[in-house]
Amino acid sequence: MSASAGPTDAWRDARPDREAGPGGVDPFDPESGEIDDQLDLADRAALRRVAGLRTELEDITEVEYRALRLERVVLVGVWTEGGARDAENSLIELAALAETAGSAVLEGMIQRRHKPDPATYIGSGKARELREIVVSTGADTVICDGELSPGQLIQLEDVVKVKVIDRTALILDIFAQHARSREGKAQVELAQMQYLLPRLRGWGESMSRQAGGRVAGGGGIGTRGPGETKIETDRRRIRNRMAKLRREIAHMGVARATMRKDRERNGVPSVAIAGYTNAGKSSLLNRLTGAGVLVDNALFATLDPTVRRVSTPGGRTFTLTDTVGFVRHLPHQLVEAFHSTLEEVSRSDLIVHVVDGANGDPEAQIAAVREVLAEIGAGDLQEIIAINKADIADPDVVARVQRREPHSVVVSARTGEGLDKLLAVIERDLPRPDVKVTALVPYEKGKLVARIHDEGEVDTVEHLPSGTLVRARVHAALAAELKQYVPADAP
């Protein structure tokens, strides 16, 4: 082939066995002036390479290793109350949330205002300054430390010209990344749709079109008429999906409710581990029970509750439940969507409130957790403060928390420090069986004696020829089963 040969010449030379067309004309000869329009099926369906478009690198050193592109974000918060330290801690936490979601934080700014601007959250002048910062840093996203109204999101985006999200959307995104179980995914999706519904918006005619009459696709009776706009259709679909998710979550919660009722019927006390996200709740559960729950130095690593059985040094048996972590300004959509999961906390007999002793402001975290506990109806439950991470915490901070929280225990889930004392305090605070019984249990009913030991408090045990004489305190359901074995001369 000559150097001046074109693509048609290359194609023709590559097929030397091609027969000439009608009249001896080569259909691929540009000089013949004719193109055969009756190519066989194989030729018409063939995928042929076009010369000169190959971009494969010849030198391996030229390979560019491309990592998944992280969003480059700028953080902005409005400081309306409290001190400067509180505002800075809130923005530091927002930065940790952004990094957990997979973003690279470039800048963080706080504005002092009496209340957020109703139009752009930070005011028009500050919004223009924020635009300059976005341009200078090359950011592609702005994250606001608060929940913005739909109007604030739109108007702030119009000024900064990049995507704007708020704290609620960021937390929902992290939950979506960490959801693993079917129930967890459904709960997160429901929360996201609750957040999205009032913020659904469109641009131009794409959301204003109406589909009625024949335009609706000939649906017949019930489909003709003025129709509905595109945005109305999307809202209706979201509401239908939300209704379906609520039904699925309620159905999935039946199994957990059944197991909880079985534990209540058997008189097994329940203890819930609650606390701020990344305080070490899952580590504590693993240390006490060997549950093997995922432990990660990340916010909201645990979304699905885990229940394990634990025994105290004195022989009391109870269940220990690991739950989702809380955070400042936890979105109400999540509280509603995770209602069935959070019931494990509200229906427990005792709460072990895990506090990150290594945090600079543990008191603020305690207040935030108690606010959520009150919201789910668990604010009046008895609470044990477990100050975790004692091995790396500042002793002065730990001492300060202990002074404010007298009913507290200092522990370390990593080293095991203080766990024996924590179990002893749990045993002391667990609810006591309230029915005194004296029963002569036949030896063939040994499982019943084991239940008395597991579920009650045994005072004395005597082994008689006719069976085991047990004096104990048990719950009402077990007392009813033991009634037939009560001796006639028992007090």
Side-chain angles (χ1 to χ4, degrees), residues 155-175:
Q155 295 189 56
L156 188 56
E157 278 188 352
D158 289 342
V159 177
V160 299
K161 306 300 182 184
V162 295
K163 180 174 66 175
V164 177
I165 63 174
D166 58 14
R167 184 187 183 94
T168 299
L170 178 61
I171 294 176
L172 290 174
D173 182 79
I174 296 172
F175 270 61

Side-chain angles (χ1 to χ4, degrees), residues 37 88 123 398:
D37 59 354
E88 291 176 359
V398 173

Side-chain angles (χ1 to χ4, degrees), residues 14 49-50 131 152 188 228 288 369 374 420:
R49 176 178 289 115
V50 178
R131 168 61 183 168
Q152 288 174 322
V188 172
E228 58 186 356
L288 292 174
V369 171
D420 292 339

Side-chain angles (χ1 to χ4, degrees), residues 177-197:
Q177 292 182 41
H178 291 176
R180 294 292 180 269
S181 68
R182 179 167 170 258
E183 183 178 15
K185 292 178 180 179
Q187 289 170 326
V188 172
E189 184 181 356
L190 175 60
Q192 287 179 318
M193 288 189 171
Q194 287 175 321
Y195 174 81
L196 173 64
L197 186 59

Side-chain angles (χ1 to χ4, degrees), residues 218-240:
I221 297 175
T223 63
R224 290 185 282 266
E228 58 186 356
T229 62
K230 177 70 164 55
I231 195 169
E232 289 171 344
T233 303
D234 291 343
R235 285 172 178 160
R236 174 171 50 80
R237 289 175 177 172
I238 289 177
R239 291 190 184 98
N240 291 341

